[in-house]
Structures are given as structure tokens and as C-alpha cells.
Amino acid sequence: MAQRLKESLVENKLLLKDVFGDAIDFYTKDIEIGRVSCCICMFEGLSSIERLWVMMLDTLSRPGQLIPQNDPQALFDYLMKHSAIPLEHRSVLTVEDARGQLTAGTTVILIDGLDKGLVLSTQMMQFRSVSEPSGENNVRGSREGYTDLLRINISLVRRLVRTDGLMVQTMIFGERTQTEAALLYDRNLVDPALLDLVKRRLSQIEIPFLFDSGYLSAFLQKSRFSFFQSVGYTERPDTSAAKICEGKIILLVNGSPFALIVPYFFNENFQSMDDYSEKAYFSSMIRVLKYAAFFIAVMLPGLFVSVANFTPEFLPSELLYKTAAAESATPLPLFAEAIFVNFLLEIVREAGLRLPRAIGHSVSLVAALILGDAAVSAGLLGTPVVVVAALTAICTYVVPNLYEPVTVLRLLFIAAGGVLGPIGVIALFLYLIFNLCSMNAFGIPFTAPMAPPSKAFFRDAFIRKSWRVLARSAFTIHDLQKTEVEE
């Protein structure tokens, strides 16, 4: 049970000292208001002393203020109801309440003779400014991306969705971090069963700490293994606003610039906000290219290894001769070469990603040019294998949301094609299709609206219709064929 505050100001200060110890950034200041002893408590860096002065002390120091004298309760009521000071409507009653408010950047005012405190909004935390998202660049449209503060991110979405249906519900995760998160949805569009399911799963989460929204995605999905996930993410407030207008739920976490999208479908990995700013025919062509790039990135190395090793008669004669000549000059079999060059690409990518940005791109470029050329010149790798690996790497970057499953599946297809040949490639491809079709995204098939087919498939799935057609009826996930809501 939470410990309540005491009526003695000295005892309350000791209780807070027990919680925070001798923290150098914990600031307390004893003052007197209306001949009543008070104490201002805040954290430097989270709250602003200048803002506190403007909002409270300057107001109370003006002549003519009818401040109650020698009456703690009257002073409390005056500050809450009759002063111009912007106080929070909820007062602090327990030590836990005080800890939560102080670490959130507010100022707590304790009054001698009362077992409760006032909360003053003086947040002035340093944070990264709103800037263009790094991973979801668009040619047209908004340039705003999420920052790291939850309140700022909520305001970015609320500025775009200004209807009375937008709801924001906050919750706390992490036993040791007490990280704040928020659910955003439109109460007029969201499915009540979906909302109840998400809330129930979130309420069952037990996690010691939470520093990114990605920690929660594993708890929201079913435990069954799949290469793909039914919870997406975005760095863009406009994308979040569009998903809310489709009846979906957005989950924001304090300290994370990535919002979770619930539910998330397979075809959404191939869509972007640019699709709706350009001509319908061009957007449809780009989507077809993205689907083609996905299958090339996943299957091309495995197909190449399978055909070259088991059915070389399917290769054109010129390509067959060049492949045979290249492979006869290398010490490794084709299967091992394909595995090795893909591992090499991942090592180069990881090196460029983890190094400081100023030299990361240079290292990636130098490694790709020098290592690739040197490996071919030294006879360690064949030119056809390097060309195939480079093509698949480029295709992988076309669909960045699927980078993780594409990378693993590509290695599996290489292994299947190198060991079992065409039978292995076909078997693994069928497993991939069955795995996709068997997934449920919170009661809706993961492959919707493609399978099972629905009207939405012909509006905005593989191809996109013009805005004249899309504007006739608003799309929500209620239009998709639903299955029994999963527990």
C-alpha cells in the first residue's frame, strides 16, 4: 500500500529524501506563503526555475493579492480555485504520487499542516526537436517525424486528427523505469473487440524496464512463430493519423520515436504516404516493383544456386559457360560462395550502421568496392555470385520494413537450393505462403485484403485507384473479412 503524505512539512521532506537520497539534481526550496511554511520540490533539468517564477512566485508577490493568512487549508483552496496559477487538477496524496509527478518534470508544492501537495506544470525537459524521419523519407508530404517525448508525439498526432473521436489513454510499463505509454485511437472507428484485446494484452505485460516501443510488440502478438509480425511501426505522425482514420490503434512510448501500429497487414509493408500524393497509375507501378523486389531479394540467390548446381540446362548457354568458368577458378562450391558473400554483405552493413555517421558510409562504400573487387580478382568469389548478391541487396532496401525476415529467408532459400535443389526451393516457398496465409492480425487475416479477397483489394492493395474512387467511401478495417477474435 502506498504511503500517504504527512501533515508535517518536515516529515514529508524526510520521506522524499528517503526516496531520492542525496540526488544532486533534486531541488527543494523553503518559502512562506500567507505566513504558512511551504516547500517547493523539483528536479533540475526536468523543470524550469524560470518558468516556476513566472507562473507562481511572480503572481503571488504582486501587491493586492488577498492570500489567506495562517490557514493551510484556505491557502490550498485559494491556490487551487481562485489564483491564476496553472495547477494540475489532481493533488499529490502519497509519496508514490509525488515521485511520479517529480520525475515527470512537474513541481510539487508541499504545505505545512496538510497531508497533500499541489502540482505545478513547469516541465522544461531537453529533447530532440521535431525533424524529418530518418527511415521513412518521402518525396512529397509532411517532413515531420516523431521525437522522443511522449507529450510532443501525442500533440503531433492530435494536430492532424482534430475530431472529437480521438482518444488518448496512458499507462505505465516497466517495474524499474515506470515508462509512460499512450494508446491513440478513434472511438467512432475502432472495433471494441480489438480495443479490449489490445488493452488486455497490455495489462498482462510484466517487464522490468522499457526503453523502446519495440519491446511491447512481442507481447502484443501471439506466441506462435512467424517470420513476419502483425504489429507495424512508423516514425511519421501523418502515417499514424492515417492508420487511426482506418480504425487502427497507435501505441506511443515515452523515449521512443517509433509508434506501433495495431493491427498491421502484409500489404502495408509495400505502401507509403507518397502513394497517395502521386498519380494512381504511377503508384500502382511502384507497388508492383516493390512486390517484385521482395521476391527477388528472398528467392533469387537460392534459385541461382539451385539451377546452377542441379538443373544447369535451364541457364542460357552464354551464362552457363561464364558461370562454369568463374566457378572453376574459385576454391569454394557455389553454395558456400553464396552463403559467404551474403554474410559479408551483412558484416559490411553492420559496420556501416554502428560506426559514427561521419565515417560509416565511407566504410560501407570502401568495404563493398575493395573487398568485392579483391575477392573476385583473387579468385575467392565468382563474378556471377557477386552480381546476384548485389542485386538482391539493392532489392532488399526497396522494402526496408521487411529487412529482417528477407535477410533470414534469403539464407534459408540458399541452403534449401544448395542442399535439396529445386524441390527444396519449392517446398520452402510453399511453407512461406502457408505461413503468411495462416497468420491472424488480431482477428483479421494477415494477408487481407488479398487473401481472402475483398473489395478493398481492388481499391488500394496491389494497385491503387484514383482519389475520385477512394473518396467515395472511407476505408476502415471493418471492411475486411474478419475471423473469430483471437484470445
Side-chain angles (χ1 to χ4, degrees):
M1 184 176 179
Q3 186 176 9
R4 286 189 61 90
L5 293 174
K6 309 296 184 181
E7 292 187 358
S8 171
L9 180 61
V10 175
E11 293 185 19
N12 288 333
K13 291 169 62 177
L14 291 175
L15 289 175
L16 292 180
K17 187 175 181 180
D18 290 338
V19 174
F20 301 116
D22 296 324
I24 192 174
D25 57 340
F26 182 51
Y27 173 83
T28 60
K29 173 66 175 179
D30 293 325
I31 63 172
E32 188 174 288
I33 306 176
R35 298 184 180 178
V36 177
S37 298
C38 303
C39 181
I40 296 175
C41 305
M42 66 166 65
F43 273 102
E44 296 180 8
L46 300 181
S47 300
S48 170
I49 298 179
E50 293 80 5
R51 192 172 182 181
L52 171 66
W53 172 259
V54 172
M55 296 173 63
M56 178 187 172
L57 299 182
D58 183 51
T59 302
L60 295 178
S61 63
R62 293 175 184 174
Q65 294 286 339
L66 301 177
I67 302 175
Q69 305 293 312
N70 299 317
D71 191 339
Q73 184 61 50
L75 175 62
F76 181 91
D77 295 336
Y78 170 79
L79 295 176
M80 283 289 292
K81 301 176 182 179
H82 303 292
S83 70
I85 302 173
L87 295 165
E88 298 284 342
H89 67 281
R90 292 182 58 184
S91 57
V92 171
L93 301 177
T94 65
V95 177
E96 182 64 23
D97 291 341
R99 183 207 57 78
Q101 292 290 348
L102 290 169
T103 54
T106 60
T107 296
V108 174
I109 305 173
L110 301 175
I111 300 176
D112 191 22
L114 288 182
D115 58 352
K116 54 186 175 182
L118 297 166
V119 180
L120 186 60
S121 298
T122 56
Q123 293 96 330
M124 192 61 72
M125 290 179 279
Q126 299 297 320
F127 63 94
R128 182 173 56 89
S129 61
V130 177
S131 58
E132 188 171 355
S134 59
E136 296 180 70
N137 296 324
N138 277 2
V139 177
R140 302 172 64 179
S142 173
R143 294 291 189 268
E144 287 185 342
Y146 283 124
T147 181
D148 300 321
L149 281 189
L150 179 63
R151 295 295 190 274
I152 302 296
N153 292 339
I154 293 175
S155 68
L156 293 175
V157 177
R158 190 175 291 279
R159 191 171 61 182
L160 297 175
V161 184
R162 301 175 62 183
T163 62
D164 59 352
L166 180 62
M167 303 298 294
V168 179
Q169 296 186 3
T170 59
M171 54 198 69
I172 301 296
F173 295 100
E175 179 183 354
R176 300 174 186 172
T177 58
Q178 295 291 293
T179 307
E180 192 176 15
L183 277 180
L184 283 73
Y185 58 90
D186 192 315
R187 61 184 175 186
N188 301 320
L189 300 176
V190 71
D191 184 3
L194 169 65
L195 182 60
D196 292 341
L197 176 62
V198 172
K199 287 183 178 179
R200 185 166 65 251
R201 290 187 177 178
L202 289 175
S203 65
Q204 296 171 353
I205 293 178
E206 295 181 1
I207 188 170
F209 45 79
L210 178 63
F211 300 114
D212 184 72
S213 57
Y215 293 17
L216 302 178
S217 61
F219 295 95
L220 287 170
Q221 301 175 98
K222 297 180 69 175
S223 58
R224 178 183 175 184
F225 171 78
S226 176
F227 290 105
F228 307 92
Q229 61 179 15
S230 56
V231 176
Y233 66 89
T234 181
E235 296 179 78
R236 301 179 61 92
D238 55 351
T239 300
S240 300
K243 300 305 179 183
I244 290 175
C245 293
E246 293 178 0
K248 297 184 179 181
I249 300 172
I250 300 298
L251 179 60
L252 297 171
V253 174
N254 191 37
S256 173
F258 294 91
L260 296 185
I261 304 171
V262 182
Y264 196 74
F265 305 113
F266 179 69
N267 70 295
E268 293 182 270
N269 293 296
F270 305 90
Q271 299 176 356
S272 68
M273 293 300 292
D274 265 346
D275 294 350
Y276 304 95
S277 301
E278 298 165 342
K279 289 288 187 178
Y281 69 86
F282 184 76
S283 299
S284 301
M285 183 191 71
I286 295 300
R287 286 188 184 178
V288 173
L289 290 178
K290 288 181 179 179
Y291 279 99
F294 168 74
F295 285 105
I296 290 174
V298 170
M299 299 186 63
L300 180 60
L303 284 173
F304 176 72
V305 170
S306 171
V307 171
N309 283 341
F310 292 88
T311 55
E313 60 272 14
F314 286 108
L315 293 176
S317 56
E318 293 82 0
L319 180 59
L320 177 61
Y321 296 148
K322 292 182 179 180
T323 302
E327 295 310 312
S328 63
T330 59
L332 298 175
L334 187 62
F335 164 68
E337 279 187 47
I339 294 289
F340 174 72
V341 74
N342 276 276
F343 273 116
L344 188 62
L345 283 173
E346 289 305 308
I347 291 173
V348 172
R349 171 189 173 272
E350 195 68 17
L353 181 64
R354 305 303 172 188
L355 280 172
R357 185 171 300 181
I359 61 174
H361 299 299
S362 301
V363 170
S364 299
L365 181 62
V366 170
L369 292 177
I370 295 180
L371 287 180
D373 182 69
V376 173
S377 301
L380 298 177
L381 296 175
T383 304
V385 174
V386 174
V387 172
V388 170
L391 178 60
T392 56
I394 294 173
C395 291
T396 302
Y397 299 139
V398 175
V399 194
N401 289 347
L402 294 175
Y403 185 88
E404 294 86 355
V406 164
T407 302
V408 176
L409 285 170
R410 180 167 62 241
L411 293 174
L412 292 178
F413 270 99
I414 293 174
V419 176
L420 301 176
I423 295 178
V425 173
I426 294 173
L428 186 56
F429 176 74
L430 292 176
Y431 170 78
L432 175 63
I433 298 299
F434 292 153
N435 182 262
L436 279 171
C437 295
S438 64
M439 285 184 61
N440 256 334
F442 299 86
I444 303 175
F446 181 64
T447 52
M450 295 183 291
S454 66
K455 294 181 179 179
F457 174 77
F458 302 100
R459 297 176 72 252
D460 188 20
F462 196 67
I463 61 174
R464 181 180 80 80
K465 293 291 185 67
S466 67
W467 266 114
R468 292 182 180 273
V469 177
L470 295 178
R472 291 174 187 171
S473 59
F475 168 80
T476 65
I477 58 175
H478 297 288
D479 300 331
L480 303 177
Q481 179 178 342
K482 297 196 65 176
T483 60
E484 183 180 355
V485 176
E486 57 191 41
E487 294 296 333

